[in-house]
């Protein structure tokens, strides 16, 4: 019994000492906290506040990191959206923009008629009416009238009456043009609608250009056409001339053969001209020799077949310009130039090519068609010094 009791005490002692070992660390923390001169509730409040601050700090760090990533993604999306919308605006505008653009482009429409009299060689143009014209005045209306002409004769133009404060004028006026049948396919009918202004320049609303080659004049035509923006003033067509050049270096003879001309500009009131041709030789920018053809009456396509021979030494051929000019003869008034051109080493384009071919092929006549140019343009290019006639020793 004594041994059993002694053994039970020996085994019980470790069990009673284990609680002291486990409470040693809490006792240290309790001792450390007991040194702080604050009540227990204050310590708990400080601990809670510190915990809350730490929690908020962690939340802020997390939000900042995640926010930057999300911001970059949003930024990329927004930039992509901007570029997409910009491209979309260029490719496919909004409906409001389309409607606004259509309103700006719309100028109205014109009704007209065409009738060609093959026996009398006359084209009758009827200007019927216009509709839905573009408003040019501040009051939302216009004062429209129509100008009608053919590109083959821009000097002869007709005008309708002016109709005040309307966008739907009814003209019902007709005009007759004298035009040969052979020239009809090469001409264009132009009808321009203007807004009349009493004190300022008249504004053009729009125009209709109708190439006569694109319509059949075997019967009367009556139709509507939309007005378009007026094109630039077309360059006036002065006509074309065909002639040949031949030069023989051994004899120093330059032969100019004036063959024919066509589509000449109308110079007379009856729609024709009385053309003749002058051939000038210019040496060192000074007029030297001159000859001319006979006059062909009442025609825009004269046939001459007249030859002129000039003596030009081989050592001077590089300094010579040949000036071809077509004139309209008038008995009462002064003769008027229709158009000019010149050939020589200072020329350009077809004129220079023709001259070079002549020099490259001596003794051989070379014929070619050339377009006439405005006389003042040719005179300026020639830069003539004086009108004195020079003598040249052979």
């Amino acid at each position: 019994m004594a041994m059993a009791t002694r053994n039970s005490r020996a085994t019980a002692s470790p069990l009673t000492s284990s609680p002291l070992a486990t409470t040693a660390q809490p006792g240290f923390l309790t001792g450390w906290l007991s040194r702080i001169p604050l009540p227990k509730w204050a310590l708990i409040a400080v601990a809670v506040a510190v915990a809350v601050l730490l929690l908020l700090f962690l939340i802020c760090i997390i939000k900042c990191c995640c926010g930057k990533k999300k911001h970059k993604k949003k930024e990329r999306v927004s930039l992509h959206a901007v570029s997409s919308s910009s491209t979309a605006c260029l490719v496919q505008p909004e409906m409001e923009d389309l409607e606004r653009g259509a309103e700006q482009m719309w100028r109205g429409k014109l009704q007209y008629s065409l009738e060609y009299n093959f026996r009398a060689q006359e084209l009758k143009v009827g200007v019927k009416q216009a509709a839905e014209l573009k408003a040019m005045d501040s009051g939302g209306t216009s004062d429209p009238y129509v100008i009608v002409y053919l590109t083959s004769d821009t000097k002869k133009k007709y005008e309708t009456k002016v109709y005040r404060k309307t966008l739907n004028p009814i003209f019902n006026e007709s005009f007759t043009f004298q035009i040969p049948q052979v020239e009809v396919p090469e001409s264009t009918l132009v009808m321009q609608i203007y807004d009349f202004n009493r004190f300022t320049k008249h504004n053009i609303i729009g125009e209709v250009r109708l190439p006569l080659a694109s319509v059949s004049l075997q019967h009367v035509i009556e139709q509507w056409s939309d007005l378009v923006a007026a094109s630039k003033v077309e360059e006036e067509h002065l006509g074309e001339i065909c002639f040949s050049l031949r030069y023989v270096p051994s004899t120093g003879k330059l032969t100019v053969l004036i063959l024919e001309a066509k589509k000449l500009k109308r110079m007379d009131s009856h729609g024709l001209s009385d053309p003749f041709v002058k051939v000038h030789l210019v040496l060192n920018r000074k007029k030297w020799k001159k000859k001319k053809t006979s006059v062909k009456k009442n025609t825009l396509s004269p046939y001459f077949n007249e030859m002129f021979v000039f003596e030009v030494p081989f050592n001077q051929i590089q300094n010579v310009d040949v000036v071809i000019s077509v004139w309209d003869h008038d008995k009462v008034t002064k003769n008027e130039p229709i158009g000019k051109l010149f050939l020589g080493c200072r020329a350009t384009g077809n004129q220079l090519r023709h001259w070079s071919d002549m020099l490259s092929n001596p003794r051989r006549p070379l014929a070619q068609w050339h377009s006439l140019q405005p006389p003042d343009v040719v005179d300026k290019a020639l830069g003539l010094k004086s009108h004195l006639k020079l003598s040249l020793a052979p």
Side-chain angles (χ1 to χ4, degrees):
M1 288 293 293
M3 290 291 294
T5 304
R6 193 180 293 113
N7 290 335
S8 62
R9 289 179 180 176
T11 55
S13 60
L15 293 175
T16 55
S17 61
S18 60
L20 294 175
T22 55
T23 56
Q25 189 172 358
F28 172 77
L29 180 60
T30 304
W32 181 77
L33 291 175
S34 63
R35 296 178 184 177
I36 299 175
L38 290 175
K40 190 174 183 179
W41 63 268
L43 293 175
I44 295 173
V46 170
V48 172
V50 171
V52 172
L53 288 175
L54 289 174
L55 182 62
L56 292 175
F57 181 71
L58 291 175
I59 292 174
C60 289
I61 292 176
I62 294 172
K63 281 188 175 182
C64 288
C65 296
C66 297
K68 287 182 180 180
K69 293 181 180 180
K70 291 181 180 179
H71 181 68
K72 289 181 179 179
K73 291 182 180 180
K74 289 182 179 179
E75 189 175 12
R76 289 175 185 173
V77 172
S78 62
L79 290 175
H80 178 70
V82 170
S83 68
S84 299
S85 62
S86 301
T87 307
C89 289
L90 292 174
V91 176
Q92 187 176 1
E94 298 292 337
M95 290 304 298
E96 295 179 359
D97 296 335
L98 287 174
E99 293 175 358
R100 190 181 302 111
E103 291 176 359
Q104 292 177 355
M105 293 298 295
W106 178 252
R107 299 173 184 275
K109 53 186 179 179
L110 178 68
Q111 185 186 32
Y112 55 90
S113 65
L114 298 177
E115 182 180 1
Y116 187 73
N117 188 327
F118 289 89
R119 180 174 298 178
Q121 305 283 290
E122 293 179 348
L123 176 67
K124 185 177 181 180
V125 180
V127 180
K128 302 296 183 180
Q129 60 180 323
E132 303 173 13
L133 294 179
K134 180 180 178 181
M136 304 296 288
D137 299 337
S138 58
T141 61
S142 296
D143 302 319
Y145 69 96
V146 183
I147 292 180
V148 185
Y149 66 92
L150 296 173
T151 55
S152 57
D153 185 12
T154 56
K155 281 190 173 181
K156 190 172 185 179
K157 297 183 178 181
Y158 294 103
E159 294 185 13
T160 68
K161 297 178 181 178
V162 177
Y163 288 81
R164 302 285 184 179
K165 296 182 179 181
T166 178
L167 301 179
N168 301 282
I170 298 177
F171 300 103
N172 283 334
E173 299 186 40
S174 60
F175 310 102
T176 302
F177 296 90
Q178 293 286 339
I179 177 171
Q181 183 178 349
V182 293
E183 297 181 14
V184 168
E186 300 171 354
S187 187
T188 298
L189 174 65
V190 182
M191 294 169 284
Q192 297 176 325
I193 300 186
Y194 281 82
D195 173 50
F196 176 83
N197 293 307
R198 185 175 298 276
F199 302 108
T200 60
K201 183 180 178 181
H202 299 179
N203 297 319
I204 187 166
I205 300 175
E207 70 176 13
V208 173
R209 284 182 176 260
L210 183 67
L212 297 182
S214 64
V215 297
S216 175
L217 297 176
Q218 300 295 330
H219 56 277
V220 179
I221 297 173
E222 184 170 325
Q223 60 188 14
W224 286 89
S225 291
D226 292 337
L227 297 174
V228 298
S231 59
K232 296 181 179 179
V233 178
E234 61 273 357
E235 185 177 348
E236 191 173 16
H237 185 74
L238 302 177
E240 301 174 39
I241 186 169
C242 181
F243 56 88
S244 73
L245 298 176
R246 178 175 180 262
Y247 183 67
V248 182
S250 59
T251 61
K253 288 187 177 181
L254 174 64
T255 303
V256 181
L257 174 60
I258 304 298
L259 294 170
E260 60 179 315
K262 64 180 180 180
K263 304 177 186 177
L264 294 179
K265 178 183 175 182
R266 294 175 172 86
M267 303 296 289
D268 299 336
S269 58
H270 55 273
L272 297 173
S273 297
D274 301 320
F276 68 95
V277 180
K278 289 182 182 180
V279 181
H280 280 87
L281 257 61
V282 174
L283 178 63
N284 295 325
R285 299 178 182 268
K286 295 182 180 181
K287 289 185 179 180
W288 178 29
K289 296 180 180 181
K290 175 181 67 174
K291 295 185 180 182
K292 64 180 180 179
T293 68
S294 58
V295 177
K296 305 300 179 181
K297 297 288 186 179
N298 298 328
T299 179
L300 299 177
S301 301
Y303 181 77
F304 299 100
N305 197 26
E306 299 184 33
M307 181 185 298
F308 306 106
V309 180
F310 301 92
E311 291 186 3
V312 182
F314 180 71
N315 61 352
Q316 293 290 350
I317 192 65
Q318 299 289 343
N319 302 322
V320 168
D321 297 310
V322 178
V323 182
I324 309 292
S325 58
V326 182
W327 295 71
D328 174 52
H329 175 74
D330 288 312
K331 291 182 178 180
V332 180
T333 60
K334 186 178 180 180
N335 296 338
E336 295 182 84
I338 298 176
K340 287 185 179 183
L341 61 96
F342 80 96
L343 302 94
C345 295
R346 296 191 295 136
T348 58
N350 290 331
Q351 288 81 9
L352 178 60
R353 189 177 300 110
H354 194 179
W355 184 259
S356 300
D357 290 344
M358 178 200 71
L359 296 178
S360 302
N361 299 273
R363 301 179 180 83
R364 178 183 173 187
L366 297 172
Q368 187 173 326
W369 281 96
H370 294 273
S371 297
L372 294 173
Q373 301 171 7
D376 56 341
V377 174
V378 176
D379 292 342
K380 184 178 180 181
L382 285 169
L384 300 182
K385 294 180 180 179
S386 67
H387 300 284
L388 298 177
K389 185 176 180 180
L390 302 179
S391 60
L392 184 67

